[in-house]
Amino acid sequence: MKPRSDYEGSHADKFYRWLHGEYDPFVGKLELREEQPENPPATDGQSINREAMLRMVDDWAHNREIRAFRVLYKIASVFMCIAMMVVLLITVANLPPFGAATNPAHNEVMVRYLEKGIDETGAVNAVTGMILNYRAFDTFGETCVLFIASCCVMILLMAEEGHSSDGRLETRFEPKDDPILYRIALFLGPIVFLFGIYIILNGHLSPGGGFSGGAMIGAGLILFCNALGLEQTRRFFNEHIYKVVKVGSLVLYGITMSYYFFTGGNGLQNIIPLGTPGHLISSGMILPINIFVGLEVACTMYSFFSLFRQGSL
């Protein structure tokens, strides 16, 4: 209830002004270089000496805040390293002895995967059956990590696009007109896509699956972008398609796994047929989940490449 003038300049006042965007504690203390007009206005009859200001900002040896931050950063780093080492050493010390018959690796879970995997999942590939059925919750978490990572990179690196005087989209690092590279990319691109689709669709039958097939499709998109340019690639894969495919795949994956979680957690029978093991359309929902994961991985790979390359999709 005191007037503001009584606590003006205190930590509470600085925090209040920082919370409302009126105060920045790092202005003039870090190497922040704001854009300056070509002819800066005069202040008190004198022009701004930009070089002197930058020397003052970059003078870490005489900046108390920066020196204190560096000391605290080193202390915190050493503390975190020691704490991590202690936790890891305690964990290793409490591991069961190697080769003991009572170790967790020698229990009914491994036997269940190998003996009942085909009957319960319908997948001939035991690894895919385990990842996308028994451990589908973990795989869903990994897919969410890919989605979140892609969103973070888009937030940090997405750049506004400009247009040239003739109205065309301005892009950087576009390939030169090379007919050999252009025709080879046109020939190899569809083959790469088909091979990636084959790996995804056969993940429940043979080694492979959504992650490896999605990486193959993402590599094909990167090949097209490098050889044909961003403007040509956008004809069949632009930002709108990227958002629909990526968000749609994650949502459909989440809906599918929610059904499995609900039925499994409540002891209900799964009504989705497993099909005949060894057939292409079989293994229940493992095939659609493989497709969702493959699309998610392909979109993540291409988005990272495109954003790091030129700041846009």
Side-chain angles (χ1 to χ4, degrees), residues 189-201:
I191 297 177
V192 174
F193 290 145
L194 288 175
F195 187 55
I197 295 172
Y198 166 79
I199 293 175
I200 292 175
L201 297 181

Side-chain angles (χ1 to χ4, degrees), residues 226-237:
N226 278 326
L228 279 67
L230 182 64
E231 194 169 350
Q232 293 286 340
T233 309
R234 280 178 173 169
R235 293 185 176 182
F236 63 93
F237 191 81

Side-chain angles (χ1 to χ4, degrees), residues 23 43 59 66 91 93 113 121 127 136 141 148 160 175-177 179 197-198 203 214 217 225 238 250 284 289-290 303:
Y23 170 73
T43 304
D59 188 8
I66 296 297
T91 303
Y113 288 169
T121 67
V127 176
I148 295 171
E160 295 184 359
K176 303 296 182 181
D177 295 330
I197 295 172
Y198 166 79
I217 296 177
C225 188
N238 52 32
L250 188 65
I289 291 175
N290 252 332
S303 65

Side-chain angles (χ1 to χ4, degrees), residues 1-48:
M1 302 299 295
K2 295 182 180 179
R4 185 171 180 176
S5 57
D6 292 349
Y7 63 90
E8 191 171 9
S10 63
H11 293 292
D13 178 53
K14 291 180 180 179
F15 177 76
Y16 176 84
R17 290 190 290 122
W18 171 78
L19 197 63
H20 290 78
E22 302 174 359
Y23 170 73
D24 189 347
F26 298 106
V27 171
K29 298 177 181 178
L30 295 178
E31 59 274 24
L32 302 176
R33 302 190 178 185
E34 300 180 354
E35 296 183 0
Q36 298 291 337
E38 296 182 0
N39 298 317
T43 304
D44 297 332
Q46 297 180 352
S47 61
I48 298 177

